[in-house]
Amino acid sequence: MNRSCAVWLFLAGPLWAAEPQLKVQAQLQPGAAVVVGEQLQVQVDVLTDTWFTGGATLPVLKLPGARVQAPSGEAEHTTQLIDGKTFYGMRYAYRITPVAAQRFTVPALTVSAQPGQAKAPLSATSAPLSFQATQPVGFAPDEPVVVASGLRLSQTLVATDLKVGDSLTRTLTLQADDTPGLSLPPPNTGVIKGLRLYPQAPAISDLDDGRGHITGGQRIDRLVYRIEQGGHYTLPAIRVKWWDSRNHRLQTTQLPALTVEAQAASAYTPAFAIAADLKALGQRTRWPLSTHLFAWMAAMVVLILAGYCIRLLWPRMVALWREVWPALRWACRQLRLLPLNPRQEKDFP
């Protein structure tokens, strides 16, 4: 019995010793020195010596003075040889764009994952990293910086037979390689006298290679102008200053100015005139009434209404007087009031 137990323990020993391992490695790409506006990546490799049953859980990374894009749900597969042992893993990437010239410190990142044959999820921590961002030559400290390995700028104009009240649309498309769409600045439009600008929300997006890898950014601005007066107008040239990360120098891309002509508004002529039609029918469009005539007409109306009211109420007034007069005479006798006319004293006892 003891001998069989020893055999089972000997066979199960390698299984107990094969507890899976979890390692986390982080590195900066392309390096620890960048310029403001240049994007770099913090690549995080999550490795194990078995396999993963699911994706890894990464922490939220925030860096004051920089924009940070969290890794997407998809990861690249990688294989590394560590101390003579093969590790299989997943590679994630934080995309960081510094907006201030300063030194940044990426703290240690704690990642959890579930390797195969593990009883519970395991956790591991990467080493902290740091990098320096400097202001590129040719840019003021408060000036937006566009850093890209390539930049393209184009425009279209929709305007035909313009006149006062019409609108024209100028569409500007800016594309930059190796920089996110949120880093692209708005165009400098300026103020054009005689044209009212109605700003539209820009369309900002990231460009990819069709396989989920971000290759750059795009910004589309639609400038809608309304013509307030006729004349000759010049839409200003668009100029974008950017830092060439491939050649490490200042570049400028510019679009030419556009000219448009707008006609003044013509006087409005109705399709038909009511006054002319009335004249043609022999009718007068106006009745000239003087103030005196209007007063005489109002007086006549008042007199007619007064006569009508008296004629309507006179029988009732006579009947009422006949009813009231006997009572009034009786009251006077009771008070022994003297009449006002002595000749009619006989009316009173």
Side-chain angles (χ1 to χ4, degrees), residues 6 10 54 58 83 106 111 115 120 123 142 145 165 168 178-179 187 191 196 209 218 237 275 277 281 293 296 336 346:
F10 176 78
L58 284 79
D83 297 333
V106 180
V111 181
S123 297
D142 57 346
V145 180
L168 59 93
D178 298 324
T179 189
V191 178
R196 180 181 293 273
D209 58 359
Q218 175 178 267
D277 293 343
L281 294 174
L293 180 60
W296 278 105
R336 297 185 180 277
K346 62 181 181 178

Side-chain angles (χ1 to χ4, degrees), residues 81-136:
L81 187 64
I82 303 176
D83 297 333
K85 192 173 185 179
T86 303
F87 281 80
Y88 309 93
M90 298 175 291
R91 174 170 293 175
Y92 300 89
Y94 292 89
R95 299 178 182 273
I96 302 175
T97 305
V99 296
Q102 64 183 51
R103 187 166 188 82
F104 295 88
T105 299
V106 180
L109 303 175
T110 301
V111 181
S112 61
Q114 176 77 49
Q117 298 182 351
K119 299 179 181 179
L122 303 179
S123 297
T125 304
S126 66
L129 303 172
S130 63
F131 64 93
Q132 179 70 40
T134 58
Q135 190 75 9

Side-chain angles (χ1 to χ4, degrees), residues 135-323:
Q135 190 75 9
V137 178
F139 290 88
D142 57 346
E143 186 178 5
V145 180
V146 178
V147 179
S149 59
L151 189 138
R152 295 166 299 279
L153 184 62
S154 61
Q155 68 176 343
T156 59
L157 179 65
V158 178
T160 56
D161 299 332
L162 296 176
K163 57 182 179 298
V164 174
D166 291 344
S167 62
L168 59 93
T169 302
R170 185 184 192 184
T171 303
L172 303 173
T173 302
L174 176 62
Q175 294 181 339
D177 298 330
D178 298 324
T179 189
L182 291 176
S183 299
L184 302 180
N188 185 15
T189 56
V191 178
I192 305 175
K193 186 178 180 181
L195 299 181
R196 180 181 293 273
L197 175 62
Y198 291 89
Q200 308 293 316
I204 301 176
S205 60
D206 290 331
L207 303 176
D208 57 50
D209 58 359
R211 294 175 294 179
H213 299 97
I214 297 177
T215 60
Q218 175 178 267
R219 180 187 177 105
I220 301 176
D221 290 275
R222 295 178 63 250
L223 308 179
V224 179
Y225 295 92
R226 184 179 183 274
I227 301 174
E228 296 184 334
Q229 61 185 22
H232 182 81
Y233 297 100
T234 300
L235 305 182
I238 302 298
R239 179 172 175 267
V240 177
K241 186 169 62 173
W242 56 287
W243 181 260
D244 189 347
S245 60
R246 181 176 301 171
N247 301 310
H248 304 284
R249 64 179 181 178
L250 182 66
Q251 299 274 21
T252 300
T253 301
Q254 183 170 326
L255 290 175
L258 300 176
T259 58
V260 295
E261 186 77 23
Q263 299 179 0
S266 58
Y268 173 73
T269 303
F272 57 90
I274 298 177
D277 293 343
L278 292 177
K279 285 184 179 181
L281 294 174
Q283 301 180 7
R284 300 182 63 183
T285 58
R286 294 185 179 179
W287 292 80
L289 298 176
S290 64
T291 305
H292 297 287
L293 180 60
F294 182 79
W296 278 105
M297 293 177 63
M300 292 296 295
V301 171
V302 172
L303 290 176
I304 293 173
L305 291 177
Y308 177 78
C309 293
I310 292 175
R311 182 180 179 183
L312 182 64
L313 298 177
W314 180 255
R316 297 183 181 181
M317 293 174 62
V318 173
L320 180 62
W321 175 256
R322 290 177 179 178
E323 293 178 0

